[in-house]
Amino acid sequence: MKPAMKRLLTATFTLIIAAAAQAGVTIEQWTTGNGTRVNFVAAPTLPMLDVQVDFAAGSMFDPAGKSGLAALTRGVLDLGAGTRDETAIAEQLADLGAQLGGSADTDRASVTLRTLTAKDKLDPALAVLRDVLRKPHFDAAIFEREKARTIAGLKDAMTRPDSIAGKAFWETLYPGHPYGRQATPESIATLTRDDVVAFHGRLYNAANAQISLVGQLTRQQAEAIAEQLSAALPAGAPAELPPPPAPARAAVSAIGHPASQAHIYLGLPAIERGNPDYFPLLVGNYTLGGGGFVSRLVKEVRDKRGFAYSVYSYFAPLRQTGPFQIGLQTQRKQAREAIRVVRGVLDEFVAQGPSEEELAAAKANLSGSFPLRLDSNAKLLANVAAIGFYGLPADYLDRYREKVEAVTAAEVKAAFARHVVPGKLVTVTVAAD
Amino acid sequence: MTLRQLFPFLLAPWLLGQALANPYETTLDNGLRVIVKEDRRAPTAVHMVWYRIGSMDEVDGQSGVAHALEHMMFKGTPSVGPGEFNRLVAAAGGRDNAFTSRDYTAYFQQIPKEKLGEMMQLEADRMRHLNVDPKEFEQEIKVIMEERRMRTDDDPDAKLFEQMNAAAFLVHPYRRPIIGWMDDLENMSATSLKAWYDAWYVPNNAYVVVSGDVDHQAVFELARQHYGGLAARPLPARRDLVEPRQEGPRRITVKAPAELPSLILAYKAPILRDPKQDRDPYALEILTAILNGHDAARFNKKLVREDKVALSAGVGYDSTARGPGLIFLYGTPSEGRSVAELEAALRAQIDRIRREGVSEAELKRTRAQLIAGQVYKLDSMFGQAMEIGQTEAVGLSWKDVETMRERLQQVSAAEVQAVAKKYFDDDGLTVGILDPQALDGKPRRPAVATRH
């Protein structure tokens, strides 16, 4: 069992990761009486609060044959709750200048609220959020309407080369695993309101939730807010993870399309959140394709050959093994040649790793740009919520630069050798000649 | 340095008192203006250089020059080689990019605050010393063509918007796409880019915007040091082309591979020229918010949620620009509903406001959102610099932002009703329709709903 999962199962106790003498962004963490973990950062400058409630209720929990259920459940969650219908919720929040949002990805379903902290704004805005957590209506007519909109949206997405390529990439990377199961018009068409109610009942509970708060609050206020939000949820139990994805296996998927450009994705399942190789891979990938205009992929594919406007690579660690992905778009007739160049860059990088000069440049940027990752409440919230949700160490931000600086070229090479085997790469093209 | 030192704002309340005199402004002897917004929440800064030159300053046959030059600005000077600009910004722990609009071209770096001087040195260097190398251009123009394919040619909605614009304006250069027509890109030369650069990239046609954890006096001093030595030069005359009055509706159709049709109704609309005297642009902004400002605003509530005639619907209006304005109503019909039905439904929403006006509750709601938006805006340093830069770019001053905010708050229900009557006139209307084509030319698969 992964550390993150253990954390989910720990008993209720209050844990404060107080700032050590040299620490900085103070993430205060505790667990509510109802079993919800809380992450709080006091940001006293602006009279506003950002709240994010995350449930382990992303698409990885979609039952077989019901792909799209997680997203649809999240989509209809706030369309009527407690004493308010969907119109009343939207109007009241607009009257308060508050913004309710959120979405579902592979791992998480999130509900977010941004509000002013003046009492006459904060209290009623939080009351709406509590209702959404406590008693969503899942009105039958609204469910049918949103289902129809989702189907139409998916049909349209399936005519767009980037969407087709994206879905095919995940399907090809994760055969037999929920990460590979993509919502289709057909899978959505089978969903019923009962499915939504059951999915919600199974996963939207206090033990399977996490609350993150960033804003102008005292610890005492944050505790009271978190207690009330958590109390709106049934106690429940944490979600059980599906069996992990199978290891990487080479595959090629070529899909026809009349577009002028081929959309190309290469990649494989690489690492999960919390993997100790994360920092060597992050630093190494900066040189390969993560460092924007200065990466090897951009130099070879864009600058030298003019093949693409956008070419990049990244690791997306998830709860379970997330992908390493390279992406680009190029004129369809030169797709083969572009793939050959990309593979050449990748092969060379995996075989030799970065030069000392490249390594130093990667560290200088990743370490030097660290303050840019945290210079707004919105960015703090995103970081804090991810740290909490994935059970990363509470001193993750404090030690980020140190971890980056400590990476060696040999570690980069070793980590890539473990996780990015070029012979196991999946290649997906849409609209390539 | 410890993180505690890096983030004092997390530990001690910092009240907004310092914001009173903010932003600050000076003008260098060479005509370069420098505007500074101090925001001490985090040890970072945003540095932007804005040039008062955009795609609207291009001429026929040379569309895309402003944007292509933006790409070439990263391709080197005598002292900073091709690609070195990006490398130096990255080494400083920064992120950089640029954007070209119809009205302006702008370059920015987000950086740890102590790197501001270095960034100014780099920007000052390429303001006057760019090497528009034909070999670099030959590669870069291919990148730009790929960008056009990605952003426009393979995106049915972008293509619809491009062609709708080309139909809405006969004379005004807003009819041309910012990225340029493909044929113009194919025929573009390094020589034309060099001429563009020499004419327009001078300090007296630019302004610098800095936001972040900086002292304005120190920023002014840095600016004098780095930009002060660049010579001003008279700018070429600009010819303001006047769009003739539209005298009847125009309709265009774009066929493209897609599943769903979409629709745009674009009406000629006023632009804010005098922030103190003009009224209609403010009223149209409020009208836009009432139709589209939140999930239960009129369009979503009536067209998407109640009548289900639209999968989505919206309104677009930008009251500030150098050139003429448009207000757009747009949407995608639900399955089984036609574009014509959606058009009628969108028009019916405007007709209703013409007949019945809007409620005080709706106005109050819009004001509440404006007030909250003011606070939320302060969460982004980049957003604050953008607001200053964009306001200046359209010929207004950052000092007008406060006036504009006040005037928006003062818009009355009667004014909203009046602009609904005045501007949604078919004689100034351009309709754009996306006619979706099957990918393989075969008939589309039946709608899923019919199978179950």
Side-chain angles (χ1 to χ4, degrees), chain B residues 83-144:
Chain B
E84 279 292 285
F85 191 100
N86 293 129
R87 193 187 65 76
L88 291 165
V89 174
R95 299 172 190 161
D96 69 320
N97 215 324
F99 39 91
T100 305
S101 96
R102 302 182 306 183
D103 297 341
Y104 56 80
T105 312
Y107 302 80
F108 70 86
Q109 300 87 39
Q110 295 166 280
I111 39 165
K113 62 175 180 173
E114 61 277 8
K115 306 292 185 181
L116 181 61
E118 269 178 62
M119 298 303 111
M120 285 190 173
Q121 187 179 353
L122 285 166
E123 284 289 8
D125 177 45
R126 69 176 176 179
M127 184 179 284
R128 286 308 303 130
H129 305 297
L130 186 69
N131 178 22
V132 185
D133 180 74
K135 281 215 172 62
E136 292 286 341
F137 171 74
E138 205 178 304
Q139 288 309 319
E140 197 60 26
I141 194 68
K142 291 183 199 163
V143 173
I144 295 167

Side-chain angles (χ1 to χ4, degrees), chain B residues 130-174:
Chain B
L130 186 69
N131 178 22
V132 185
D133 180 74
K135 281 215 172 62
E136 292 286 341
F137 171 74
E138 205 178 304
Q139 288 309 319
E140 197 60 26
I141 194 68
K142 291 183 199 163
V143 173
I144 295 167
M145 288 186 223
E146 294 292 355
E147 184 180 359
R148 189 190 149 86
R149 287 184 191 103
M150 185 183 82
R151 288 194 197 280
T152 308
D153 295 347
D154 287 347
D155 182 334
D157 290 315
K159 210 185 270 185
L160 174 65
F161 189 80
E162 179 177 272
Q163 303 222 355
M164 184 281 298
N165 245 326
F169 296 109
L170 301 176
V171 170
H172 194 274
Y174 276 3

Side-chain angles (χ1 to χ4, degrees), chain A residues 85-97, chain B residues 294-297 301 305 362 365:
Chain A
D85 65 11
E86 60 175 346
T87 300
I89 287 179
E91 287 184 346
Q92 175 157 18
L93 291 170
D95 284 339
L96 298 166
Chain B
H294 57 94
D295 286 347
K301 178 168 185 277
R305 292 180 167 181
E362 288 174 304
R365 192 164 292 144

Side-chain angles (χ1 to χ4, degrees), chain A residues 95 97 149 155 261 365 377, chain B residues 90 146 311 335 365 376 379:
Chain A
D95 284 339
R149 291 180 71 208
K155 284 188 190 170
Q261 273 186 324
N365 182 263
N377 292 7
Chain B
E146 294 292 355
L311 285 174
E335 279 202 296
R365 192 164 292 144
Y376 302 154
D379 194 37

